[in-house]
Amino acid sequence: MALSRMLKLNEICCSRYPVFPQYNSCIPKFSNNVRTFRRVSHEAKSKKPVFESLASPFQNITVNANNIRAQNLWKPLGFTVAFSSVCFGGAAIWQYESMRSHAISMLKQPMGFVHKKTHEAHLKAGSWRRQVNNWWNSLTPGERVFVPICAINVLVFAAWRIPRLQPYMLKYFCSNPGSSNICWPMLLSTFSHYSAFHLFANMYVLHSFSSGAVASLGKEQFLGLYLSAGVISSFTSYLYKTIARQPGLSLGASGAIMAILGYVCTQYPDTKLGIIFLPFLTFSAGAAIKVIVSLDLAGVVLGWKVFDHAAHLGGAACGIAWSYWGNELLWHNREPILQYWHELRGAIK
């Protein structure tokens, strides 16, 4: 009963689900399709030493610790570097295409003709479509980036509620350094939430900071930072779990959100922040990020199991580093990529 209560508390409170202290209890196997989880009840009955396992956020899952080895980190490290490079390269190309499309539309079409065609398109569309268009046009650039991210998270949350999909969700939407599927879950787990409160809390924080971040970075650079930070935070969690020999599932967007939080708080340290339930309490963004990072660092050093503190630190470090060096060292030096894409695009025509 005590274990059940602790697991329920973890489901409600964790931002990225960590693992609990070790339990060698009889936990039935959830699915034959998930290689990293195994039935241990027969081993307990025979009094043979079972694999050292840690309880996951799901009450009937145990995670095998024997598959966690340092040599297995090379593959996720390569995936992290490659995916992050693709993210920022794709963001640069996306920005190029957006600017090119806008320039062509302004040069080739008179403004009166554009307005006329836009008005005709609205008339042809149904009422529901006009309402959706009006709603979408009323959003800020930050909200236009937030809405698709939130929608994906809600869809994945709904998928967790379907019993037949849960083996696949465990396999692909939970990051685990001991799993045979070790790379793509690093990304997919950042869109995965098992608890409704977990989903609400992460999306609320993302919505609060997305407008400011998009205004500073632009939608292309924002999305590149968000996606790459999600994978980097997952790799940081892998690294910590491997060093500490603490297997377990992790899921949630907090690693990527911590990167956005770290960037905004570092870029605008004098911005006043507050807590939704304590509106009278305000503090500076610079102080907030220092406190958050300090708590996560203490969690890593002291081995706290409340959050996936290593993933939080990886995401925050990514956002803070981008604030100091990202624009100058990487984004402002993207001309070679744009030049190559411009020549390639011309060659394709």
Side-chain angles (χ1 to χ4, degrees), residues 4-211:
S4 177
R5 290 178 180 176
M6 292 182 70
L7 290 170
K8 184 63 177 177
L9 178 63
N10 184 53
E11 176 183 335
I12 295 175
C13 297
C14 290
S15 290
R16 270 186 71 88
Y17 285 113
V19 290
F20 278 106
Q22 297 168 354
Y23 298 99
N24 286 329
S25 57
C26 299
I27 305 177
K29 187 176 179 182
F30 181 79
S31 170
N32 292 328
N33 296 327
V34 185
R35 295 183 181 178
T36 56
F37 310 123
R38 58 172 301 169
R39 188 186 303 272
V40 296
S41 57
H42 67 283
E43 295 185 43
K45 291 179 181 179
S46 62
K47 297 182 180 181
K48 294 180 180 180
V50 299
F51 285 127
E52 200 172 27
S53 63
L54 302 179
S56 74
F58 309 97
Q59 296 184 13
N60 50 355
I61 298 299
T62 184
V63 182
N64 190 350
N66 284 11
N67 293 331
I68 299 181
R69 292 183 288 270
Q71 56 266 31
N72 294 340
L73 290 176
W74 288 109
K75 189 175 180 180
L77 175 61
F79 178 82
T80 301
V81 173
F83 183 80
S84 300
S85 301
V86 170
C87 282
F88 286 108
I93 294 173
W94 181 19
Q95 187 183 63
Y96 169 88
E97 290 294 331
S98 298
M99 295 176 63
R100 184 178 184 278
S101 177
H102 179 72
I104 291 176
S105 64
M106 295 296 291
L107 289 174
K108 289 187 175 181
Q109 298 179 354
M111 293 302 297
F113 181 75
V114 173
H115 290 163
K116 181 180 178 181
K117 287 295 182 182
T118 302
H119 180 67
E120 291 177 354
H122 280 290
L123 292 178
K124 292 179 181 179
S127 60
W128 68 270
R129 186 173 176 182
R130 286 199 302 270
Q131 292 176 1
V132 171
N133 289 337
N134 292 335
W135 168 77
W136 181 258
N137 293 330
S138 67
L139 299 178
T140 65
E143 291 172 337
R144 293 183 188 181
V145 176
F146 165 78
V147 168
I149 295 175
C150 183
I152 295 173
N153 280 273
V154 171
L155 289 175
V156 175
F157 170 77
W160 276 110
R161 316 267 78 80
I162 303 175
R164 290 188 177 183
L165 293 181
Q166 287 186 358
Y168 302 98
M169 303 300 292
L170 285 166
K171 189 174 183 180
Y172 295 106
F173 287 85
C174 292
S175 64
N176 170 26
S179 173
S180 58
N181 299 285
I182 197 171
C183 289
W184 282 110
M186 298 171 67
L187 171 65
L188 298 178
S189 65
T190 62
F191 295 94
S192 180
H193 298 82
Y194 187 75
S195 165
F197 180 79
H198 183 202
L199 173 64
F200 170 79
N202 276 346
M203 293 301 101
Y204 177 80
V205 175
L206 179 60
H207 180 268
S208 300
F209 287 89
S210 59
S211 294

Side-chain angles (χ1 to χ4, degrees), residues 270-286:
D270 297 327
T271 301
K272 293 298 181 180
L273 303 178
I275 302 175
I276 183 174
F277 301 111
L278 302 172
F280 57 87
L281 181 62
T282 60
F283 41 86
S284 67

